[in-house]
Amino acid sequence: MTTSPGPVLAAGANLDFTLAQQLTVIALCALTAFISHMALAVFNDGVRPFMLDFIQGRSTRSATTAVSFGLSAGFIFGLGAPMALSSGVLNPWLLFLPTDILGILSPKKWLAPILGGAWGAVVVFGLSGANNLAHDLPVDFLTAMQEMSTPILFLFTLFPVLAITKQFGRKWGGIAGVVELALVVMTMKLWPTVFAGAIAMAVGVLMLIGLAINKDLKQRKADRANKTEEAEEGEEVAPADDPMASLFSASAARLRKYLPLFMVLGAGVCLLAQMHVFGGGEATSFLIAKGNYSEAAQVDFYRVFGFIPLIATTALASGAYGIAGFTLVYPIGYLMPNPILAAVVGALVFAVEVLALSYIGKVLGKLPSVRDSSEHLRSAITDALQLAILFGSLMAANAMGAGLGILIVGGLYLLNEAMGRPVVRMAAAPAAVIVGGIVLNILYWLDLFTPIKG
């Protein structure tokens, strides 16, 4: 990837899919809706904790659907659709959040895959038409939205620095920041064709994990010393009972029962990633669009560390896994040389994840600082992307309408904040760009606005 500021997308942001890609998307959406209906997995991490009540019959299907829709709608229409239209690459918010809703909503098992497949068809056929129509408008707001790529890619690089600062203080955060900046500058100078943040992110994540493991090891050593002193003083040290152990065991057993179905799911997600029409994250979508698959794999691999503890603990507590598992199938899929190998490896990865779920839960229970690191990573990713998406959206507004564009898009964002965020913050700015683009086109047709050339 070049480090020039202009967004040059290899995919052309045209959303034109081959027959094999169309069938894969439709089949995968059908499968994910079916799995959601069975309450075996959902994509939305916020919905997963509610699945236990649904599984045990304490919550109705309609009530759970309402929760899923409420937590997902903003991301679908405010983030998933705009990101796909601007990058030309599909994403999990656009594909899997709707199938969460449709699967839970479906009253019959056989209807769920039909609804999911229908959504997949809407995506692969409808988005292309909407994309072509938007590019033919006097104010081409989709091309303007490609301005989001540069701030998203470069500001995302800082998420390990933010996580280290939040967990280990300003000193370590400052050291990590200096190290990352030096690595970015070095990469841009020595390897100009490589994504400048790739090495910096790797080092930052390794620093965070190293600091967390070191803290946990010191704490365990201190705990052992305390127990030895108590034993020498004749005090009995009773083993602590874990009230969640039986629930975790039952949830893990329930998921293992459906292992073949999860293997098919893993094969499908990995296959879609291998086709390079799908990106697992905001930064990843633009890297895939630029044709930088190895860098995209690195970015999504680093994100895994922030989500394994969350997905493992919520899956063990609720009995519902993640549609993308630990998301390892994303980076693996990007790097696979052919679809068959991607499907096989994806199935095996999901099999290992499901079988190892109980063990992973036990290990995480002994590493509290590592668990805390994952929470700080997720928070840092959100903070970095919120700023990057807002800044990129204002750049897009400027590209399509100069000061008037900034006024409309920025005004819509501020209005959303003042109204208590009916649209979630991360999705508000891209949604405002689309609304702003529509408004500017209306003003053009009313002869009240002249589009910016170039």
Side-chain angles (χ1 to χ4, degrees):
M1 187 190 86
T2 62
T3 55
S4 61
V8 181
L9 304 188
N14 54 21
L15 289 165
D16 291 330
F17 305 104
T18 66
L19 179 60
Q21 292 166 347
Q22 292 170 347
L23 293 176
T24 300
V25 171
I26 292 170
L28 185 57
C29 286
L31 176 61
T32 53
F34 177 74
I35 288 175
S36 173
H37 174 86
M38 298 280 288
L40 291 172
V42 290
F43 180 76
N44 194 321
D45 296 319
V47 173
R48 199 172 302 116
F50 294 92
M51 297 304 290
L52 180 63
D53 285 343
F54 176 63
I55 292 168
Q56 296 183 348
R58 294 192 298 269
S59 178
T60 64
R61 188 171 290 279
S62 60
T64 310
T65 300
V67 169
S68 181
F69 181 82
L71 292 175
S72 302
F75 287 102
I76 296 169
F77 301 108
L79 186 62
M83 287 296 297
L85 288 168
S86 60
S87 67
V89 175
L90 301 176
N91 57 69
W93 307 287
L94 183 63
L95 295 184
F96 302 146
L97 289 181
T99 58
D100 279 359
I101 299 168
L102 294 171
I104 299 171
L105 172 68
S106 175
K108 300 292 183 181
K109 187 182 297 186
W110 58 267
L111 182 59
I114 294 176
L115 294 175
W119 174 254
V122 168
V123 170
V124 294
F125 296 115
L127 275 185
S128 179
N131 181 74
N132 294 334
L133 176 64
H135 282 305
D136 291 335
L137 292 173
V139 180
D140 185 357
F141 55 87
L142 293 186
T143 297
M145 287 184 73
Q146 293 177 13
E147 295 288 340
M148 295 169 61
S149 64
T150 300
I152 286 176
L153 289 173
F154 280 86
L155 287 177
F156 185 77
T157 302
L158 292 174
F159 79 88
V161 176
L162 301 182
I164 290 171
T165 304
K166 289 181 177 183
Q167 187 171 7
F168 297 103
R170 288 176 289 182
K171 184 185 78 171
W172 279 111
I175 293 172
V178 171
V179 170
E180 282 212 5
L181 178 60
L183 289 172
V184 168
V185 172
M186 182 185 73
T187 303
M188 293 175 71
K189 182 68 175 178
L190 299 179
W191 305 289
T193 59
V194 175
F195 171 44
I199 298 175
M201 277 189 288
V203 172
V205 171
L206 288 174
M207 284 181 66
L208 177 65
I209 295 173
L211 289 168
I213 292 176
N214 181 62
K215 182 177 179 180
D216 281 334
L217 291 177
K218 287 183 177 178
Q219 185 60 49
R220 290 183 68 182
K221 184 178 180 180
D223 291 342
R224 283 196 299 268
N226 290 335
K227 288 181 180 180
T228 301
E229 290 178 5
E230 291 173 0
E232 289 175 352
E233 293 172 2
E235 298 179 12
E236 274 192 40
V237 182
D241 294 327
D242 184 359
M244 298 295 289
S246 59
L247 174 62
F248 281 16
S249 178
S251 296
R254 178 177 186 265
L255 296 176
R256 286 196 299 269
K257 179 181 176 183
Y258 293 94
L259 184 62
L261 188 58
F262 281 115
M263 292 177 70
V264 175
L265 176 61
V269 177
C270 197
L271 173 61
L272 183 63
Q274 192 277 335
M275 291 180 166
H276 299 148
V277 295
F278 173 89
E282 300 88 346
T284 314
S285 294
F286 286 110
L287 286 170
I288 292 290
K290 293 170 183 284
N292 296 98
Y293 308 130
S294 60
E295 286 91 340
Q298 290 179 60
V299 170
D300 271 354
F301 179 73
Y302 304 145
R303 288 173 67 111
V304 168
F305 295 103
F307 287 90
I308 284 181
L310 172 68
I311 293 169
T313 52
T314 55
L316 289 169
S318 68
Y321 198 41
I323 286 294
F326 292 145
T327 70
L328 275 169
V329 287
Y330 293 163
I332 290 172
Y334 305 148
L335 300 177
M336 287 291 104
N338 62 71
I340 295 176
L341 186 59
V344 171
V345 173
L348 292 176
V349 168
F350 255 53
V352 171
E353 288 181 7
V354 172
L355 292 174
L357 203 53
S358 291
Y359 175 76
I360 292 171
K362 292 177 182 176
V363 170
L364 290 173
K366 299 175 181 178
L367 298 172
S369 294
V370 174
R371 291 201 312 273
D372 290 345
S373 292
S374 73
E375 295 178 9
H376 288 300
L377 274 176
R378 292 195 308 276
S379 174
I381 287 171
T382 299
D383 290 345
L385 286 175
Q386 280 179 349
L387 176 61
I389 290 173
L390 174 59
F391 187 65
S393 296
L394 291 175
M395 289 173 63
N398 182 65
M400 68 185 183
L404 181 59
I406 292 174
L407 172 65
I408 295 172
V409 173
L412 288 171
Y413 179 86
L414 292 173
L415 182 61
N416 183 70
E417 289 286 306
M419 295 172 63
R421 298 187 199 131
V423 179
V424 292
R425 179 177 282 172
M426 190 174 293
V433 174
I434 291 181
V435 174
I438 294 172
V439 170
L440 289 174
N441 276 289
I442 293 173
L443 292 176
Y444 166 79
W445 289 322
L446 295 174
D447 199 24
L448 296 174
F449 172 73
T450 302
I452 295 175
K453 301 298 181 184

